Amino acid sequence: MGKRKSRPVVAVVGRPNVGKSTLFNALAGDNISIVKDTPGITRDRIYADITWLDMSFTLIDTGGIEPESKDIILSQMREQAQIAIDTADVIIFMVDVKQGLVDTDSKVADMLRRSGKPIVLAVNKVDSYQKYMMDVYEFYNLGIGEPFAISSANKQGIGDLLDEVSSHFDKEKAQEEEEDERTRIAIVGKPNVGKSSIINKLIGENRLIVSDIAGTTRDAVDTEVTYHGKEYVFIDTAGLRRKNKIKEELERYMIIRTVTAVERADIVVLVIDAAEGVTEQDAKIAGIAHDRGKATIIAVNKWDLIEKDNKTVNQFTQKIRQILSFMPYAEIIFISAETGQRLTKLYETIDIVYENHAMRVATGVLNEILAEAVAMQQPPSDKGKRLRLYYITQAAVKPPTFVIFVNDKELMHFSYTRYIENQIRGAFGFRGTPLKFIIRERKENK
């Protein structure tokens, strides 16, 4: 089986203008993936996947603050700190050496310290060590430990900061999750679409004594279920009953929670409300699963409430396919948590999709499919030079990842890669899972 590696989550908390987004940009650089056909998810820069030396983690920006009065700043800082405490493995608390130690910093530091989460203190804007050294020492008074002097703008001190951050990554937890062979399913979706009811029903049907392991460090609760002798772990993101004033904040919080849940899962079940159809928020959540290469099932809930004729399912399916056009592979299933309609079908679908996500295809067979595909549809050419495809092999599972060796990467258009993908899907199905293609250049064999 392929190993599941879940990336640690690091959240940045700090007052306005201390340089959080500068740090974000310094780390994410240009490699922040804006996938053209994934709806608005990576553009709003709520999170970015960072690779630094040999570690990779997800960096989360806990939100902007509107500086009006000190009281508002403090309450919004507390809100940010709470999001970080709820979702992150490690928290970077950022302060500004030029503004010095501010009362708000101390109050938020108290809250962070009480959480018991690892906190790394970053003192930003230290562009001259000599000049600001004494001012950096002042931040020892926060009682969070050693302050790390950095300059996000000049990218100074970031290496030491990240070494400290990564020293808190829970190697054992990562190890445990890798060795855990149970299928992990994240149930995601907007608030009130019935995520909790689905989980309760799935457990209830099986009259199982459920052990709620308080979901590792995050507050999503992992629920273990045994069905027909197989073990499943459901990761629930339903804890979104927050009295939240601002719709944007709620949405940001939901996206952060979804990212952290999806990160730990093999399969994502996106729950959609049948009465509402696919909304923009649904598309964003689907984008998160797609970006992370997770197998995906779209569960249309409350289907019992829809007036139906013999065309309804088809029309609804087409609508989903149209809006979520970037994931044509997703399985779609119509259910009702209320009546329990087709919920057992959800287990079957999870099993099929899991197999596909972890499926390996022999190299010989792949190359036969490739040769046939090339014979049927000639590869593109440009200025008299034609694309040649030499060889294909599967490099990884979860998601199935293929490497194609060609004579010239530039000639391998997106549409031709998609054509090859469709030929492979035609032969093996791979329902429910995205496929990833890596194109490598190899010089012509003389």
Side-chain angles (χ1 to χ4, degrees), residues 187-203:
I187 307 268
V188 301
K190 304 195 305 285
N192 304 326
V193 289
K195 300 189 289 286
S196 299
S197 332
I198 290 176
I199 290 185
N200 291 340
K201 204 69 168 194
L202 289 171
I203 299 158

Side-chain angles (χ1 to χ4, degrees), residues 235-247:
I235 303 166
D236 180 11
T237 55
L240 260 177
R241 308 274 165 270
R242 291 171 56 107
K243 299 174 286 299
N244 224 323
K245 319 161 281 301
I246 314 168
K247 190 174 149 294

Side-chain angles (χ1 to χ4, degrees), residues 403-415:
V403 183
I404 302 179
F405 292 94
V406 301
N407 59 340
D408 186 344
K409 251 166 47 173
E410 297 298 304
L411 293 174
M412 187 77 177
H413 295 232
F414 175 69
S415 56

